[in-house]
Amino acid sequence: DVEPDQPLFDALFMLLAAGWRGSLGSEAARSVDVLATGLLALPEFAVGGIGVSDALLDACFDQMLLPEPTTPVTGGGGPRGSFSAQLPGCVSLVAGRTPPAGRGGAPACADAAAGGAPACVESLASRLSCARAVLDWCYRHQQALRPALRGRIGRTLLAAVGGVGPPPPGLRSLLQSLTLITAGFGAPTGAHRALLLSVLVPLHRPAGRLDDTTPHLSLFHEPLVHNLLLLLKRQPSLLLPTVSGLLQLWPAPQDGNSGKEVLMLHELEQLVELTPAQDARRLSLTMAPLIARAVGSENSRLAERALALFASAPVRSVLLADSRGALPLFLSSLTRSFTPHWNRTVNKMTCEVLSLLQQHDPPAFAAAAEELFAPGPHPT
């Protein structure tokens, strides 16, 4: 029956700050996190005009940058020193990594040496959930804070991928909060363009890997793509600069990061379906060399993902919007100098794609085949 007012919110936020500073015991801090998360979701707490201190917002964003808690673990089936698999939306990180010092008081993992590792993970998970709840509540109900919050979210996102190691678990949470914001955007503005091209596209930069097949990008790729799609559906004219920016961040073959390439191919498929008709030909010319390279890869997972693009009629129509320019590139990669791929599935998919290309534009297909395979000197 308590009426939520400024003193009540002040007391709640003071308790949160104390728990995040480490002034409360770990159990008490987690209890406060859970309490605050639950209260802020109640309709009775949907109150505007509440003062929120900069210190509290600083603490919320600090939680998003906290490193994953790790500690040596003996036995068990997962990598040593990794608890990310127990955090929502995360996958296990590499073994034996010593976390950098976090701001805002990272959850102490000393307890883990005495068998308290799960508590350490639960502490970070509750912090992230609570920090996200506070930021979401502020954005929904404290409208005066919205411009500052948008700017801080962008800066924090870029800071989270500024290092060389795995990004902090909070990056995914922050992108999920951003999804709520982008979903509510109205008419396109210059700020939306800046968010898309200066924040979301550069978030594809991380080139590290958790293991041979799992790139760092996989930790937060799903909400990242969701935000991109929300913005591009409102401003499809920005698709071409967005795709051009993504291609500049594409892994080089010598990087051996095929997992990231597969993720980005999946993303491209979703983006290309939004292509305005007037941009299809330019996008075809932009994407064809990279798609052809992926099709011709010896990595079967990468080749299969690239070949699968052609199964989608909307994507295929964009890739072949400039048939005269794109078909020779695709045919050269698909035929592989008449040497079959070592993987049977790739060979089967190759035959299916060749048939689709021939049906799409028979004259252009015949001209490309003549250019590539007729006797005599061929253009380089």
Side-chain angles (χ1 to χ4, degrees), residues 269-270 272-273 305-320 356:
E269 181 174 22
Q270 298 178 74
V272 168
E273 291 179 350
R305 190 64 191 84
L307 289 165
L309 294 175
F310 293 91
S312 167
V315 175
R316 187 168 66 250
S317 67
V318 174
L319 292 178
L320 299 175
L356 289 171

Side-chain angles (χ1 to χ4, degrees), residues 251-269:
Q254 60 268 25
D255 294 340
N257 199 347
S258 61
K260 182 178 178 180
E261 292 188 80
V262 169
L263 275 182
M264 294 183 72
L265 283 172
H266 177 70
E267 179 176 353
L268 278 184
E269 181 174 22

Side-chain angles (χ1 to χ4, degrees), residues 148-189:
L149 283 173
R150 287 195 293 265
R152 295 188 65 166
I153 287 173
R155 292 191 295 273
T156 304
L157 287 171
L158 293 177
V161 297
V164 295
L171 176 54
R172 185 182 182 94
S173 296
L174 199 53
L175 282 167
Q176 290 169 337
S177 288
L178 182 61
T179 299
L180 300 178
I181 297 173
T182 53
F185 280 166
T189 68

Side-chain angles (χ1 to χ4, degrees), residues 335-348:
T335 54
R336 303 172 181 275
S337 302
F338 302 103
T339 302
H341 197 278
W342 62 268
N343 182 278
R344 289 185 178 182
T345 301
V346 171
N347 288 328
K348 179 182 178 181

Side-chain angles (χ1 to χ4, degrees), residues 285-337:
L285 292 172
T286 299
M287 294 176 57
L290 186 141
I291 301 300
R293 189 182 79 192
V295 163
S297 174
E298 286 299 307
N299 184 294
S300 60
R301 184 167 169 243
L302 176 57
E304 287 177 24
R305 190 64 191 84
L307 289 165
L309 294 175
F310 293 91
S312 167
V315 175
R316 187 168 66 250
S317 67
V318 174
L319 292 178
L320 299 175
D322 188 323
S323 294
R324 298 289 177 177
L327 269 175
L329 293 172
F330 293 143
L331 275 181
S332 179
S333 293
L334 287 163
T335 54
R336 303 172 181 275
S337 302

